[in-house]
Amino acid sequence: MSGIDDLPALRDVIASHGLSARKALGQNFLLDLNLTAKIARAAGDLSGCDVLEVGPGPGGLTRGLLAEGARRVLAIEKDARCLPALEEIAAAYPGRLEVINADALALDWSAHLTPPVKVVSNLPYNVGTELLIRWLTPPAWPPVWQSLTLMFQREVADRIVATPGSKTYGRLAILAQWRSDARIALTLPPEAFTPPPKVHSAVVHFTALPSPRFPADQAVLERVVAKAFNQRRKMLRAALKGLAPDIEDRILAAGLKPTDRAEQISIEGFCALARAVAG
Ligand code: SAM
């Protein structure tokens, strides 16, 4: 028994189902159920919420989410070897856990969940950033999800919460902070995982804003930001060349200087620039 529920300890689950970790699937498992319950609590009150979990693996975080009171959990797992272990959890929490054996990048999960929806996942590192960008760029805002509570490599977490002027400030910080409040909720050393990854990890909590912080067209903002950061330390005038023939005038119209560099410009500044480029 495990402390948070009546199911076997995760080490025994992994041994009995032969779940040796596969690097290609980004498998670094959390075996401490007190820790997975803590991560679930970082998502706030889960009662009355449907939760999307990508990559439940042997189910440590899934059990944390259910024990912490999630109304329902939809767990999407690519590795079919994990399904029998997840079925045992579903049986212990009747009607509250649905497991889909699929690639989370290829599945439209929204039809399976009823709002309010929170996303809580210890993401596979190889697809974590891609999933985050998709969740931050849905066809319409506000998104289906109310909050995201996601484990990343510490370096990615730092890029998400970075502020202008810092070395890690760039596309990810602008995209995340334009549309959400993002903060690091928890940091974890490699030893928290089995097998331990090479780097530290961090859980980032994002709360969706009702509308973006500053007005801008998403596609134009993304284009401007991508170009501005394409060659770091280049002045805006040179970095944005080709976006419009009168780009210097547009930079000035946005209240910026052609000699400014991308890493100094606030999200408000980039939104003004996107509006000036679009207009
Ligand atoms: N949630 C478990 C935990 O905390 O111990 C496992 C986390 S492990 C870092 C990532 C999980 O995502 C693995 O179980 C892996 O098989 C799964 N996975 C990897 N790529 C996936 C994908 N494209 N779609 C769904 N699951 C995926």
Side-chain angles (χ1 to χ4, degrees):
M1 287 230 277
S2 68
I4 66 163
D5 55 33
D6 294 337
L7 290 157
L10 281 160
R11 229 168 257 292
D12 298 336
V13 172
I14 285 174
S16 62
H17 292 285
L19 299 178
S20 52
R22 292 200 176 145
K23 207 172 168 185
L25 285 167
Q27 292 183 336
N28 300 99
F29 301 133
L30 291 167
L31 303 190
D32 176 351
L33 287 158
N34 292 312
L35 182 57
T36 62
K38 191 171 170 183
I39 296 167
R41 284 197 294 278
D45 185 7
L46 296 176
S47 58
C49 289
D50 277 11
V51 175
L52 170 68
E53 185 193 2
V54 170
L61 182 55
T62 320
R63 287 164 62 176
L65 294 166
L66 290 162
E68 288 299 318
R71 177 175 63 193
R72 244 170 51 81
V73 176
L74 172 68
I76 304 169
E77 175 54 62
K78 192 172 175 181
D79 185 355
R81 295 180 310 153
C82 299
L83 300 186
L86 295 167
E87 272 158 28
E88 288 170 12
I89 304 173
Y93 291 93
R96 290 176 60 201
L97 173 62
E98 182 185 350
V99 181
I100 301 182
N101 181 204
D103 179 344
L105 289 170
L107 182 85
D108 177 12
W109 49 269
S110 54
H112 295 264
L113 295 174
T114 310
V117 171
K118 292 186 172 184
V119 181
V120 187
S121 300
N122 174 13
L123 292 175
Y125 288 148
N126 42 353
V127 292
T129 314
E130 170 66 27
L131 283 169
L132 174 64
I133 289 171
R134 288 189 190 192
W135 288 329
L136 290 170
T137 55
W141 197 267
V144 178
W145 53 269
Q146 202 174 68
S147 67
L148 309 172
T149 307
L150 306 173
M151 181 91 69
F152 293 100
Q153 299 179 39
R154 177 69 206 242
E155 174 267 327
V156 177
D158 287 341
R159 283 201 277 133
I160 292 166
V161 301
T163 48
S166 72
K167 264 201 242 148
T168 46
Y169 182 65
R171 178 185 180 212
L172 215 44
I174 292 164
L175 195 54
Q177 298 172 41
W178 179 46
R179 287 181 150 173
S180 77
D181 281 323
R183 64 179 170 80
I184 292 183
L186 213 63
T187 55
L188 283 93
E191 312 81 76
F193 302 84
T194 303
K198 287 202 177 68
V199 294
H200 280 64
S201 301
V203 174
V204 184
H205 182 71
F206 307 73
T207 308
L209 296 174
S211 54
R213 219 173 277 281
F214 309 102
D217 178 84
Q218 179 194 299
V220 180
L221 178 63
E222 282 206 77
R223 198 146 32 99
V224 168
V225 169
K227 241 180 155 0
F229 282 97
N230 194 23
Q231 290 156 300
R232 288 187 90 86
R233 287 183 294 279
K234 237 188 178 176
M235 291 176 191
L236 276 188
R237 178 170 51 210
L240 299 184
K241 215 167 136 194
L243 264 188
D246 54 350
I247 193 63
E248 289 217 24
D249 293 344
R250 292 178 193 246
I251 293 169
L252 292 167
L256 301 169
K257 292 198 284 292
T259 52
D260 283 343
R261 291 164 208 276
E263 44 274 44
Q264 310 161 323
I265 297 170
S266 65
I267 297 173
E268 186 173 13
F270 270 113
C271 290
L273 195 52
R275 292 196 301 275
V277 167

